[in-house]
Every structure is written in structure tokens, then in C-alpha cells.
Coordinates of all heavy atoms in Angstrom, one line a residue:
M16 N -3.4 -42.8 -54.1 CA -4.8 -42.4 -54.3 C -5.5 -43.3 -55.3 O -6.7 -43.7 -55.1 CB -4.8 -40.9 -54.7 CG -6.2 -40.4 -54.8 SD -7.0 -40.3 -53.2 CE -8.6 -39.8 -53.6
K17 N -4.8 -43.6 -56.4 CA -5.4 -44.5 -57.5 C -5.6 -45.9 -56.9 O -6.6 -46.5 -57.4 CB -4.5 -44.5 -58.7 CG -4.5 -43.2 -59.5 CD -3.6 -43.3 -60.6 CE -3.6 -42.1 -61.4 NZ -2.7 -42.1 -62.6
K18 N -4.8 -46.3 -56.0 CA -5.0 -47.6 -55.4 C -6.3 -47.7 -54.6 O -7.0 -48.6 -54.7 CB -3.8 -48.0 -54.6 CG -3.8 -49.4 -54.0 CD -2.5 -49.6 -53.3 CE -2.5 -51.1 -52.7 NZ -1.3 -51.3 -52.0
I19 N -6.6 -46.6 -53.9 CA -7.8 -46.6 -53.0 C -9.0 -46.5 -54.0 O -10.0 -47.2 -53.7 CB -7.7 -45.4 -52.2 CG1 -6.6 -45.5 -51.1 CG2 -9.0 -45.1 -51.5 CD1 -6.4 -44.3 -50.3
V20 N -8.9 -45.8 -55.0 CA -10.0 -45.8 -56.0 C -10.3 -47.1 -56.6 O -11.4 -47.6 -56.8 CB -9.8 -44.7 -57.1 CG1 -10.8 -44.7 -58.2 CG2 -9.7 -43.3 -56.5
G21 N -9.2 -47.8 -56.9 CA -9.3 -49.1 -57.5 C -10.0 -50.1 -56.5 O -10.8 -50.9 -56.9
I22 N -9.5 -50.0 -55.2 CA -10.1 -50.8 -54.2 C -11.7 -50.5 -54.0 O -12.5 -51.4 -53.9 CB -9.4 -50.7 -52.8 CG1 -8.0 -51.3 -53.0 CG2 -10.2 -51.4 -51.7 CD1 -7.1 -51.0 -51.8
I23 N -12.1 -49.3 -54.1 CA -13.5 -48.9 -53.9 C -14.2 -49.4 -55.1 O -15.3 -50.0 -54.9 CB -13.6 -47.4 -53.8 CG1 -13.0 -46.9 -52.5 CG2 -15.0 -46.9 -54.0 CD1 -12.9 -45.4 -52.3
L24 N -13.7 -49.3 -56.3 CA -14.4 -49.9 -57.5 C -14.5 -51.4 -57.4 O -15.5 -52.0 -57.9 CB -13.7 -49.5 -58.8 CG -13.8 -48.0 -59.2 CD1 -12.8 -47.8 -60.4 CD2 -15.2 -47.6 -59.5
I25 N -13.5 -52.1 -56.9 CA -13.6 -53.6 -56.8 C -14.7 -53.9 -55.8 O -15.4 -54.8 -56.1 CB -12.2 -54.1 -56.3 CG1 -11.2 -54.0 -57.5 CG2 -12.3 -55.6 -55.9 CD1 -9.8 -54.2 -57.0
V26 N -14.8 -53.2 -54.7 CA -15.8 -53.5 -53.7 C -17.2 -53.3 -54.2 O -18.0 -54.1 -54.0 CB -15.5 -52.7 -52.4 CG1 -16.7 -52.8 -51.5 CG2 -14.2 -53.2 -51.7
I27 N -17.4 -52.2 -54.9 CA -18.7 -51.9 -55.5 C -19.1 -52.9 -56.5 O -20.1 -53.4 -56.6 CB -18.7 -50.5 -56.1 CG1 -18.7 -49.4 -55.0 CG2 -20.0 -50.3 -56.9 CD1 -18.4 -48.0 -55.5
G28 N -18.1 -53.3 -57.4 CA -18.3 -54.3 -58.4 C -18.6 -55.6 -57.8 O -19.6 -56.3 -58.2
F29 N -17.9 -56.0 -56.8 CA -18.1 -57.3 -56.1 C -19.5 -57.4 -55.5 O -20.2 -58.3 -55.6 CB -17.0 -57.5 -55.1 CG -17.1 -58.8 -54.4 CD1 -16.9 -60.0 -55.0 CD2 -17.7 -58.9 -53.1 CE1 -17.0 -61.2 -54.4 CE2 -17.8 -60.1 -52.4 CZ -17.5 -61.3 -53.1
C30 N -19.9 -56.2 -54.8 CA -21.2 -56.2 -54.2 C -22.3 -56.3 -55.3 O -23.3 -57.0 -55.1 CB -21.4 -54.9 -53.4 SG -20.4 -54.8 -51.9
L31 N -22.1 -55.7 -56.4 CA -23.1 -55.8 -57.5 C -23.2 -57.2 -58.0 O -24.3 -57.8 -58.3 CB -22.8 -54.9 -58.6 CG -23.8 -54.7 -59.7 CD1 -25.1 -54.2 -59.2 CD2 -23.2 -53.7 -60.7
V32 N -22.1 -57.9 -58.1 CA -22.1 -59.3 -58.6 C -22.7 -60.2 -57.6 O -23.5 -61.1 -57.9 CB -20.5 -59.7 -58.8 CG1 -20.5 -61.2 -59.1 CG2 -20.0 -59.0 -60.1
V33 N -22.5 -59.9 -56.3 CA -23.2 -60.7 -55.2 C -24.7 -60.6 -55.3 O -25.4 -61.5 -55.2 CB -22.7 -60.4 -53.9 CG1 -23.5 -60.9 -52.7 CG2 -21.2 -60.9 -53.7
V34 N -25.2 -59.3 -55.5 CA -26.6 -59.0 -55.6 C -27.2 -59.8 -56.8 O -28.2 -60.4 -56.8 CB -26.9 -57.5 -55.7 CG1 -28.3 -57.3 -56.1 CG2 -26.6 -56.9 -54.4
I35 N -26.4 -59.8 -57.9 CA -26.9 -60.5 -59.1 C -27.0 -62.0 -58.9 O -27.9 -62.7 -59.3 CB -26.0 -60.2 -60.4 CG1 -26.1 -58.7 -60.8 CG2 -26.3 -61.0 -61.5 CD1 -25.0 -58.2 -61.7
K36 N -26.0 -62.5 -58.2 CA -25.9 -64.0 -57.9 C -27.0 -64.5 -57.0 O -27.6 -65.5 -57.2 CB -24.6 -64.3 -57.3 CG -24.2 -65.7 -57.3 CD -24.0 -66.2 -58.6 CE -23.5 -67.7 -58.6 NZ -23.6 -68.4 -59.9
I37 N -27.3 -63.6 -56.0 CA -28.5 -63.9 -55.1 C -29.8 -63.8 -55.7 O -30.6 -64.7 -55.5 CB -28.4 -63.0 -53.8 CG1 -27.1 -63.3 -53.0 CG2 -29.6 -63.2 -53.0 CD1 -27.0 -62.4 -51.9
G38 N -30.0 -62.9 -56.6 CA -31.2 -62.7 -57.4 C -32.0 -61.5 -56.8 O -31.7 -60.9 -55.8
P39 N -33.1 -61.3 -57.5 CA -33.9 -60.1 -57.1 C -34.7 -60.3 -55.8 O -35.2 -61.4 -55.6 CB -34.9 -59.9 -58.3 CG -34.9 -61.2 -58.9 CD -33.6 -61.9 -58.7
S40 N -34.8 -59.3 -55.0 CA -35.6 -59.3 -53.8 C -36.4 -57.9 -53.9 O -36.3 -57.3 -54.9 CB -34.8 -59.3 -52.6 OG -34.0 -58.2 -52.4
R41 N -37.2 -57.6 -52.9 CA -38.0 -56.4 -53.0 C -37.1 -55.2 -53.0 O -37.4 -54.2 -53.7 CB -38.9 -56.4 -51.7 CG -40.2 -56.7 -52.0 CD -41.1 -56.5 -50.8 NE -41.0 -57.7 -49.9 CZ -41.0 -57.6 -48.6 NH1 -41.3 -56.5 -47.9 NH2 -40.8 -58.7 -47.8
E42 N -36.0 -55.2 -52.3 CA -35.1 -54.0 -52.3 C -34.3 -53.8 -53.5 O -33.9 -52.7 -53.9 CB -34.1 -54.1 -51.1 CG -34.8 -54.1 -49.8 CD -35.2 -55.4 -49.3 OE1 -35.0 -56.4 -49.8 OE2 -36.1 -55.4 -48.3
T43 N -34.0 -54.9 -54.3 CA -33.1 -54.8 -55.4 C -33.9 -55.1 -56.7 O -33.3 -55.4 -57.8 CB -32.0 -55.8 -55.4 OG1 -32.4 -57.2 -55.2 CG2 -31.1 -55.5 -54.2
S44 N -35.2 -55.1 -56.7 CA -36.0 -55.5 -57.8 C -35.9 -54.5 -58.9 O -36.0 -54.7 -60.1 CB -37.5 -55.6 -57.5 OG -38.0 -54.4 -56.9
W45 N -35.5 -53.2 -58.6 CA -35.3 -52.1 -59.7 C -34.2 -52.4 -60.5 O -34.1 -52.0 -61.6 CB -35.2 -50.8 -58.9 CG -34.1 -50.7 -58.0 CD1 -34.1 -51.0 -56.7 CD2 -32.7 -50.3 -58.3 NE1 -32.8 -50.9 -56.1 CE2 -32.0 -50.5 -57.1 CE3 -32.1 -49.9 -59.4 CZ2 -30.6 -50.2 -57.0 CZ3 -30.7 -49.7 -59.3 CH2 -30.0 -49.8 -58.2
L46 N -33.2 -53.2 -59.9 CA -31.9 -53.5 -60.6 C -32.3 -54.4 -61.8 O -31.5 -54.5 -62.7 CB -30.9 -54.0 -59.7 CG -29.5 -54.1 -60.1 CD1 -28.9 -52.8 -60.4 CD2 -28.6 -54.8 -59.0
F47 N -33.3 -55.3 -61.6 CA -33.5 -56.3 -62.6 C -34.7 -56.0 -63.5 O -35.4 -56.9 -64.0 CB -33.8 -57.6 -61.8 CG -32.7 -58.2 -61.1 CD1 -32.5 -57.9 -59.7 CD2 -31.7 -58.9 -61.7 CE1 -31.4 -58.4 -59.1 CE2 -30.6 -59.5 -61.0 CZ -30.5 -59.2 -59.8
K48 N -35.0 -54.7 -63.6 CA -36.2 -54.2 -64.4 C -36.1 -54.7 -65.9 O -37.0 -55.0 -66.5 CB -36.3 -52.7 -64.3 CG -37.5 -52.1 -65.0 CD -37.6 -50.7 -64.7 CE -38.8 -50.1 -65.3 NZ -39.0 -48.6 -65.0
Y49 N -34.8 -54.6 -66.4 CA -34.6 -55.0 -67.8 C -33.9 -56.4 -68.0 O -33.3 -56.6 -69.0 CB -33.8 -54.0 -68.5 CG -34.5 -52.6 -68.4 CD1 -34.0 -51.6 -67.7 CD2 -35.6 -52.3 -69.3 CE1 -34.6 -50.3 -67.7 CE2 -36.2 -51.1 -69.3 CZ -35.8 -50.1 -68.4 OH -36.4 -48.9 -68.4
G50 N -34.0 -57.2 -67.0 CA -33.4 -58.5 -67.0 C -32.0 -58.5 -66.3 O -31.7 -57.6 -65.5
E51 N -31.3 -59.6 -66.5 CA -30.0 -59.7 -65.8 C -28.8 -59.3 -66.5 O -27.8 -58.9 -66.0 CB -29.7 -61.2 -65.5 CG -30.6 -61.8 -64.4 CD -30.2 -63.2 -64.0 OE1 -29.3 -63.7 -64.6 OE2 -30.9 -63.7 -63.1
L52 N -28.9 -59.0 -67.9 CA -27.7 -58.6 -68.6 C -27.2 -57.2 -68.3 O -26.0 -57.0 -68.1 CB -28.0 -58.7 -70.2 CG -26.9 -58.5 -71.0 CD1 -25.7 -59.4 -70.8 CD2 -27.3 -58.5 -72.5
P53 N -28.1 -56.2 -68.1 CA -27.5 -54.8 -67.8 C -26.8 -54.8 -66.4 O -25.7 -54.2 -66.4 CB -28.8 -53.9 -67.8 CG -29.8 -54.6 -68.7 CD -29.5 -56.1 -68.5
P54 N -27.3 -55.5 -65.3 CA -26.5 -55.4 -64.1 C -25.2 -56.2 -64.3 O -24.2 -55.8 -63.7 CB -27.4 -56.1 -63.1 CG -28.7 -56.1 -63.6 CD -28.6 -56.0 -65.1
I55 N -25.1 -57.3 -65.1 CA -23.8 -58.0 -65.3 C -22.8 -57.1 -66.0 O -21.7 -57.0 -65.7 CB -24.1 -59.3 -66.1 CG1 -24.9 -60.3 -65.2 CG2 -22.8 -59.9 -66.6 CD1 -25.4 -61.5 -66.0
L56 N -23.4 -56.4 -67.1 CA -22.5 -55.5 -67.8 C -22.1 -54.3 -66.9 O -20.9 -53.9 -67.0 CB -23.2 -54.9 -69.0 CG -23.5 -55.9 -70.1 CD1 -24.3 -55.3 -71.2 CD2 -22.2 -56.6 -70.7
L57 N -22.9 -53.8 -66.1 CA -22.6 -52.7 -65.1 C -21.5 -53.1 -64.2 O -20.6 -52.5 -63.8 CB -23.8 -52.2 -64.4 CG -23.6 -51.0 -63.5 CD1 -23.1 -49.8 -64.2 CD2 -24.9 -50.8 -62.7
G58 N -21.7 -54.4 -63.7 CA -20.7 -54.9 -62.8 C -19.3 -55.1 -63.4 O -18.3 -54.8 -62.8
A59 N -19.3 -55.6 -64.6 CA -18.0 -55.7 -65.4 C -17.4 -54.3 -65.6 O -16.2 -54.2 -65.5 CB -18.3 -56.4 -66.7
V60 N -18.3 -53.3 -66.0 CA -17.7 -52.0 -66.3 C -17.1 -51.4 -65.0 O -16.2 -50.6 -65.1 CB -18.9 -51.2 -66.9 CG1 -18.5 -49.7 -66.8 CG2 -19.2 -51.5 -68.2
I61 N -17.7 -51.7 -63.8 CA -17.1 -51.2 -62.6 C -15.9 -52.0 -62.1 O -14.9 -51.5 -61.6 CB -18.2 -51.1 -61.5 CG1 -19.2 -50.1 -61.9 CG2 -17.6 -50.8 -60.2 CD1 -20.4 -50.0 -60.9
L62 N -16.0 -53.3 -62.2 CA -15.0 -54.2 -61.6 C -13.7 -54.2 -62.4 O -12.6 -54.2 -61.8 CB -15.5 -55.6 -61.6 CG -14.8 -56.7 -60.8 CD1 -14.7 -56.2 -59.3 CD2 -15.5 -58.0 -60.9
I63 N -13.8 -54.3 -63.7 CA -12.5 -54.4 -64.5 C -11.6 -53.1 -64.4 O -10.4 -53.4 -64.2 CB -12.9 -54.7 -66.0 CG1 -13.4 -56.1 -66.1 CG2 -11.7 -54.6 -66.9 CD1 -14.1 -56.5 -67.4
P64 N -12.1 -51.9 -64.6 CA -11.2 -50.8 -64.3 C -10.6 -50.8 -62.9 O -9.5 -50.3 -62.7 CB -12.0 -49.5 -64.6 CG -13.2 -50.0 -65.4 CD -13.4 -51.4 -65.1
G65 N -11.5 -51.2 -62.0 CA -10.9 -51.2 -60.5 C -9.8 -52.2 -60.4 O -8.7 -51.9 -59.7
L66 N -9.9 -53.4 -61.0 CA -8.8 -54.3 -61.0 C -7.5 -53.8 -61.7 O -6.4 -53.9 -61.2 CB -9.2 -55.6 -61.6 CG -10.2 -56.5 -60.8 CD1 -10.7 -57.6 -61.6 CD2 -9.6 -57.0 -59.6
I67 N -7.7 -53.1 -62.9 CA -6.6 -52.5 -63.6 C -5.9 -51.4 -62.7 O -4.7 -51.4 -62.7 CB -7.1 -52.0 -65.0 CG1 -7.5 -53.1 -65.8 CG2 -6.0 -51.1 -65.6 CD1 -8.2 -52.7 -67.1
L68 N -6.7 -50.6 -62.2 CA -6.1 -49.5 -61.3 C -5.4 -50.1 -60.1 O -4.3 -49.6 -59.8 CB -7.2 -48.5 -60.8 CG -7.7 -47.5 -61.7 CD1 -8.8 -46.7 -61.1 CD2 -6.5 -46.4 -62.0
Y69 N -5.9 -51.0 -59.4 CA -5.3 -51.6 -58.3 C -4.0 -52.3 -58.7 O -2.9 -52.1 -58.1 CB -6.2 -52.6 -57.6 CG -5.6 -53.3 -56.5 CD1 -5.5 -52.6 -55.3 CD2 -5.2 -54.6 -56.5 CE1 -4.8 -53.2 -54.2 CE2 -4.6 -55.2 -55.4 CZ -4.4 -54.4 -54.3 OH -3.9 -55.0 -53.1
N70 N -4.0 -53.1 -59.8 CA -2.8 -53.8 -60.2 C -1.7 -52.9 -60.7 O -0.5 -53.2 -60.5 CB -3.2 -54.9 -61.3 CG -3.8 -56.1 -60.7 OD1 -3.6 -56.4 -59.5 ND2 -4.6 -56.8 -61.5
K71 N -2.0 -51.8 -61.4 CA -1.0 -50.9 -61.9 C -0.3 -50.2 -60.7 O 0.9 -49.8 -60.8 CB -1.6 -49.9 -62.8 CG -1.8 -50.4 -64.2 CD -2.2 -49.2 -65.1 CE -2.3 -49.7 -66.5 NZ -2.7 -48.5 -67.4
N72 N -1.1 -49.9 -59.6 CA -0.5 -49.1 -58.6 C -0.2 -50.0 -57.3 O -0.1 -49.4 -56.2 CB -1.5 -48.0 -58.2 CG -1.7 -47.1 -59.3 OD1 -0.8 -46.4 -59.8 ND2 -2.9 -47.0 -59.8
R73 N 0.0 -51.2 -57.5 CA 0.3 -52.1 -56.3 C 1.7 -52.0 -55.9 O 2.6 -51.7 -56.5 CB -0.1 -53.5 -56.7 CG 0.0 -54.4 -55.5 CD -0.7 -55.7 -55.8 NE -0.1 -56.4 -57.0 CZ -0.2 -57.7 -57.1 NH1 -1.0 -58.4 -56.4 NH2 0.4 -58.2 -58.2

């Protein structure tokens, strides 16, 4: 179960990183309201625990 949660967190974090890399559009402009730093930190906060959970339960 923890492995599945880790995979889900990795996918969500990766999607957030891809949105940040592509840049703001009309649909994602709310994400860039305070600049690029908060979404980058949010992506790291989601991605790093997902990687840790996945690697521990592999």
C-alpha cells in the first residue's frame, strides 16, 4: 500500500514539475500567482516523500 502511495506522489510531483517547466497558461495561471518559487517548493514537498516511500518499499 505504501508503494502505491509513493507512486501516486511521484506522478503528482512530476506533473507539477512539468507544468512549471512549460510555464503559465490560462488554465494554470493561478499556480503562478506568487511567482515560480512556491510551485517548485510544492513539487519538491510532494516528490521527495514519494521517492522515499517508493524506495523503502520496493
Side-chain angles (χ1 to χ4, degrees):
M16 184 66 184
K17 290 181 183 179
K18 185 176 179 179
I19 295 171
V20 172
I22 292 171
I23 291 170
L24 287 175
I25 290 170
V26 169
I27 291 171
F29 181 74
C30 290
L31 188 59
V32 169
V33 168
V34 167
I35 293 167
K36 194 69 173 167
I37 292 173
S40 66
R41 260 186 277 146
E42 293 84 12
T43 60
S44 62
W45 59 271
L46 193 62
F47 295 93
K48 186 175 182 177
Y49 299 108
E51 287 187 0
L52 187 60
I55 290 172
L56 292 176
L57 182 65
V60 165
I61 293 173
L62 191 61
I63 292 171
L66 289 170
I67 291 171
L68 276 174
Y69 179 75
N70 284 332
K71 278 189 177 180
N72 297 300
R73 190 164 61 161

